[in-house]
Amino acid sequence: MPLKSRKYLHCGTRDELPSSKKDGYVIPSILGFILLTSLAIVFALNVCATHIRMIQSESNYLKTFILAETKLIEAEKNLSMGLDVNSSISVETYKPKYFRNKSGISSQHYKVSSSAINPLTHVQLQSTIRIDTPHASSKIKSKQIERLSWKKL
C-alpha cells in the first residue's frame, strides 16, 4: 500500500518556507520579549520602593509613638511620687462630675498630655489619671494611681 502524500506522515519533513515568509520573525520577537521583561522589572522595582517607603514611615511613626508614651508614663510616675514633671508635658487638674471621695482618702484627678515630634510625624497622647492619697489616720499607707482613660489626640 503506497503512501499518497508525505504531509500525512507524523515524521514527515516540512517543505521549505516560501521566500515571502523568510523575512525574519526572530528579531522582533526577541525585542518584544526584552521589552516585556524590562516593563515587568520596572514595575517590580516601583512596587518594592513603595513598600520600603511605607515600612520606613511606619517605623518612624512607631518610634515617635513610643517616645510620646514613655514621656507620658514618666510624667504619671513623677506625679504619683509628688515630683515636678517635665516642662514639655502638659498637666491639668480637674474634678470629675459626680465624683465623691472615699472616707480616709483624698483623690486628685489629672489630665496629662505629652507629645513627640519627628520631622515627618507628630504624635500627641493624653491620659486621665487619679491619684488616691490616704490620710494619716487611714489603714492604707501608700498612694495609689489609677489610669482612667488614655487616648491619642
Side-chain angles (χ1 to χ4, degrees), residues 79-136:
L79 280 174
S80 69
M81 290 187 270
L83 301 173
D84 289 335
V85 294
N86 193 354
S87 61
S88 66
I89 306 294
S90 168
V91 178
E92 298 176 32
T93 59
Y94 76 101
K95 178 115 176 142
K97 202 174 192 180
Y98 306 118
F99 180 77
R100 292 185 182 175
N101 284 331
K102 297 176 186 174
S103 62
I105 296 176
S106 64
S107 297
Q108 186 66 42
H109 291 80
Y110 297 98
K111 282 188 180 179
V112 183
S113 299
S114 71
S115 64
I117 299 172
N118 223 2
L120 299 174
T121 56
H122 175 74
V123 176
Q124 191 171 10
L125 303 175
Q126 184 180 47
S127 174
T128 306
I129 61 171
R130 181 180 73 215
I131 299 176
D132 295 330
T133 308
H135 295 287

Side-chain angles (χ1 to χ4, degrees), residues 136-149:
S137 62
S138 177
K139 293 178 184 178
I140 302 171
K141 298 296 181 194
S142 63
K143 288 184 177 182
Q144 292 181 349
I145 185 170
E146 181 180 351
R147 182 178 289 147
L148 303 174
S149 69

Side-chain angles (χ1 to χ4, degrees), residues 14 17 21-32:
R14 289 181 21 185
L17 291 173
K21 294 187 178 180
K22 290 184 180 179
D23 292 336
Y25 59 91
V26 175
I27 292 177
S29 63
I30 289 175
L31 290 176

